[in-house]
């Protein structure tokens, strides 16, 4: 089974005290499972936007998902799950932004190279 190379870039930061955004990646053969998560420090009504882009020899594909959710203190919320078909040499970039109203409060970004 092929594996991901070490992360080329992974950033996660909170812009306020609401909580932390996280991007989780899991490889199973030719499929990469991408999950957008949020770890809340309080109870809040929030929204999110997740964009996953895969670039490689077969071209470029982009998945965009978003919606609203109720964050609960101390809980991990799985906001979005995306499955991407990947091949060795592909690059996968994922960006997750959490909003309160129109204001971003947390972000996560990752860039991965798919190993043979």
């Amino acid at each position: 089974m092929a594996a991901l190379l070490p992360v080329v870039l992974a950033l996660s930061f909170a812009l306020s005290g609401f909580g932390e955004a996280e991007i989780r990646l899991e490889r199973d053969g030719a499929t990469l499972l991408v999950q957008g998560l949020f770890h809340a420090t309080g109870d809040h009504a929030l929204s999110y936007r997740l964009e996953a882009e895969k670039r490689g020899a077969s071209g470029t594909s982009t998945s965009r998902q978003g919606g609203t959710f109720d964050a609960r203190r101390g809980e991990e919320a799985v906001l979005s799950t995306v499955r991407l078909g990947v091949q060795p040499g592909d690059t996968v970039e994922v960006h997750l932004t959490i909003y309160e109203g129109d204001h971003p409060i947390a972000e996560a970004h990752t860039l991965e190279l798919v190993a043979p």
Side-chain angles (χ1 to χ4, degrees):
M1 175 188 316
L4 291 176
L5 285 175
V7 174
V8 174
L9 170 70
L11 302 171
S12 177
F13 54 95
L15 305 172
S16 67
F18 286 86
E20 184 178 342
E22 177 189 354
I23 296 169
R24 188 175 295 160
L25 303 176
E26 184 179 321
R27 176 98 183 266
D28 183 13
T31 301
L32 180 66
L33 178 70
V34 177
Q35 288 187 311
L37 303 107
F38 185 70
H39 305 274
T41 57
D43 296 343
H44 308 283
L46 304 172
S47 62
Y48 75 94
R49 179 172 172 85
L50 181 132
E51 183 171 316
E53 181 176 271
K54 182 203 60 127
R55 296 180 297 274
S58 64
T60 300
S61 65
T62 303
S63 173
R64 292 181 183 94
Q65 296 186 2
T68 60
F69 69 102
D70 291 322
R72 298 289 173 236
R73 177 188 305 272
E75 292 184 7
E76 174 184 275
V78 178
L79 307 174
S80 177
T81 300
V82 177
R83 287 177 173 76
L84 301 172
V86 293
Q87 301 173 14
D90 286 353
T91 301
V92 178
E93 187 170 4
V94 184
H95 191 103
L96 172 63
T97 306
I98 309 298
Y99 299 90
E100 181 191 37
D102 294 334
H103 306 288
I105 60 162
E107 293 189 56
H109 189 122
T110 188
L111 177 64
E112 299 275 343
L113 299 175
V114 178

